[in-house]
Amino acid sequence: MGEPSSSPVLDRSNVATAHGRIKRHIHRTPVLTSRTLSELASTPQPAAALVGTPYEGKRPAQPRIQLFFKCENYQKIGAFKSRGAFHALSRLAPDQLAKGVVTHSSGNHAQALALAARTYGIKAYIVMPTISTPSKIAATKGYGAEVIFSGSTSQEREAVVEDVVKKTGATLVPPYDHPNIILGQGTMTLELEEQVQGLVKDDPSLSVHRESNIHQSSHTAINGSTPPCETSAGHLDAVIAPLGGGGMLSGVATALNGTGTRVYGAEPSFEGADDGRRGLEANERITTVNTLTIADGLRTPVGKINWTVISDKSKVKGVFAVSEEQILSAMKLVMERMKVFVEPSAVVGLAVCLYDEGFRKIVEEEGGKEGWDVGIIFSGGNTTLEAISKLFATGEERAERAEAKVGKDGERVAENVAG
């Protein structure tokens, strides 16, 4: 896809340009609200929930939070990845498109690139590990891609990709660690801003700032030119995005840089899946992750380019991690209260709002009596009823968690395939 140095710089204006390139190919996904979940987020946690944490014995935070959910689970292929894939292809030259594209992924990026390639009328070669689930293999093939199987290690996958490139001349489109992917993923943020302003304009009671005397400077343009006035009704105080490889969080942070909206990442803590949070503490990117967290879309380490954005405190204020139980609890609330079908990875941001006392203290201290309007990214909904039923039926049993753990010889394998 070309060297990152030859790609557009990572700034808000180029996110807007990316949106113009892809908007005819993607869904403008809805933004939903939930009075019930906002009230739960604004309710102090019971003292028992803080036992064993640094906040044990202390007064629980009393934040005031209004939630706005950007539902990328309704995006084409069921996840946000379509945005980055379509933007990446829009940047390729005709001679590159003629030779096709290739990637390695067993997740949403595989399906997104397959769909984008079919839309452009070009060939897509998708390298997938043999441990990939049949449903994901079938979905990728269903979009017209040629699926080529490999081993599950990064070395094995990359070797197959290199072989495909040598034989076909196809262009590699990485799952997340490239500026064109980052800019594409950031486009959801421009829509989110505009949609929240529209919702609050129609119903001011949706915002915690409804009684504010601060007037908005102007309506946020979808071209990203003029951000709204901070703390005004319709302006998001914060956005929380899931963090895996970091393409989405980097895109969100790039789009919101300079607007006054704080950006946070959310990730699972199980078996070291919180590499982003730990990396920030150590001031060094963590390069390997080996986890069977139920948030299977977040089982990959942060990419090199994405790390330069995420580790910049002026762009990302922090990253929080949540437990498996907290993810399941948030997922249950979304499905039962909002009637929205999501995968575990999608709800880590909501789990932070509900259960992370550190984040809740920040909202209480910085938001004061008025509180914060918080945007939550639901990243996708690519799971099955069977997988969900297992998650809620097995409790602490983790042998059957998530998907794609059974290798071709029957061994249990943690699938950490990017994208």
Side-chain angles (χ1 to χ4, degrees), residues 10 253-254 257 261-264 308-310 312-317:
L10 295 177
T254 297
N257 189 34
T261 296
R262 306 159 183 84
V263 176
Y264 296 92
T308 65
V309 177
I310 294 166
D312 185 341
K313 289 286 286 186
S314 70
K315 296 177 180 177
V316 176
K317 295 298 184 183

Side-chain angles (χ1 to χ4, degrees), residues 6 52 79 135 179 194 214 224 233 242 249 283 314 322 324 376:
S6 65
S135 62
E194 189 176 77
I214 301 176
L249 180 57
N283 199 32
S314 70
V322 289
E324 304 290 271
I376 301 290

Side-chain angles (χ1 to χ4, degrees), residues 209-269:
H209 304 301
R210 55 185 172 271
E211 297 175 358
S212 175
N213 292 322
I214 301 176
H215 297 289
Q216 278 184 257
S217 58
S218 66
H219 193 282
T220 302
I222 198 68
N223 65 12
S225 58
T226 307
C229 178
E230 189 174 0
T231 74
S232 62
H235 175 267
L236 289 168
D237 298 283
V239 171
I240 308 179
L243 174 58
M248 173 168 48
L249 180 57
S250 296
V252 170
T254 297
L256 290 173
N257 189 34
T259 67
T261 296
R262 306 159 183 84
V263 176
Y264 296 92
E267 56 189 353
S269 61

Side-chain angles (χ1 to χ4, degrees), residues 10-318:
L10 295 177
D11 62 26
R12 182 177 170 91
S13 65
N14 281 326
V15 174
T17 299
H19 191 265
R21 285 173 168 266
I22 69 173
K23 62 182 179 182
R24 69 184 183 278
H25 297 305
I26 61 170
H27 293 318
R28 182 182 172 90
T29 54
V31 171
L32 303 180
T33 61
S34 170
R35 186 180 300 275
T36 297
L37 295 191
S38 291
E39 289 177 352
L40 286 173
S42 301
T43 302
Q45 296 194 84
L50 304 182
V51 174
T53 76
Y55 303 95
E56 181 177 353
K58 299 180 181 179
R59 178 186 64 81
Q62 299 178 3
R64 187 181 179 196
I65 299 173
Q66 176 65 47
L67 299 169
F68 296 86
F69 301 94
K70 179 63 170 169
C71 297
E72 285 294 289
N73 52 307
Y74 295 133
Q75 187 54 262
K76 289 184 177 180
I77 70 96
F80 73 98
K81 292 280 189 175
S82 296
R83 296 176 181 271
F86 272 108
H87 183 241
L89 264 60
S90 80
R91 291 286 181 180
L92 296 182
D95 61 322
Q96 291 176 300
L97 290 170
K99 296 178 181 179
V101 290
V102 61
T103 197
H104 54 85
S105 168
S106 68
N108 294 330
H109 179 65
Q111 297 171 58
L113 187 61
L115 172 63
R118 186 180 72 177
T119 303
Y120 272 75
I122 64 173
K123 186 76 173 180
Y125 305 92
I126 310 296
V127 177
M128 303 185 78
T130 54
I131 61 172
S132 301
T133 51
S135 62
K136 290 182 178 178
I137 295 170
T140 304
K141 287 182 175 179
Y143 290 119
E146 179 179 335
V147 174
I148 304 166
F149 293 104
S150 73
S152 59
T153 68
S154 60
Q155 293 88 346
E156 290 171 312
R157 300 193 306 269
E158 289 166 5
V160 175
V161 168
E162 185 177 346
D163 186 57
V164 171
V165 171
K166 287 180 179 178
K167 289 180 178 179
T168 68
T171 298
L172 173 62
V173 179
Y176 52 82
D177 204 19
H178 195 281
N180 287 337
I181 299 293
I182 295 170
L183 292 170
Q185 315 303 25
T187 59
M188 71 180 76
T189 319
L190 301 183
E191 294 175 5
L192 172 62
E193 287 181 294
E194 189 176 77
Q195 288 168 301
V196 169
Q197 287 191 9
L199 288 169
V200 173
K201 182 179 179 180
D202 292 339
D203 183 1
S205 69
L206 291 176
S207 172
V208 298
H209 304 301
R210 55 185 172 271
E211 297 175 358
S212 175
N213 292 322
I214 301 176
H215 297 289
Q216 278 184 257
S217 58
S218 66
H219 193 282
T220 302
I222 198 68
N223 65 12
S225 58
T226 307
C229 178
E230 189 174 0
T231 74
S232 62
H235 175 267
L236 289 168
D237 298 283
V239 171
I240 308 179
L243 174 58
M248 173 168 48
L249 180 57
S250 296
V252 170
T254 297
L256 290 173
N257 189 34
T259 67
T261 296
R262 306 159 183 84
V263 176
Y264 296 92
E267 56 189 353
S269 61
F270 187 75
E271 294 182 339
D274 56 338
D275 60 292
R277 183 187 64 80
R278 292 184 292 115
L280 291 176
E281 288 183 351
N283 199 32
E284 182 179 14
R285 185 176 74 94
I286 293 173
T287 59
T288 59
V289 175
N290 187 21
T291 175
L292 281 175
T293 174
I294 58 175
D296 61 312
L298 308 179
R299 291 177 179 174
T300 187
V302 177
K304 292 181 181 178
I305 298 172
N306 302 322
W307 177 253
T308 65
V309 177
I310 294 166
S311 61
D312 185 341
K313 289 286 286 186
S314 70
K315 296 177 180 177
V316 176
K317 295 298 184 183

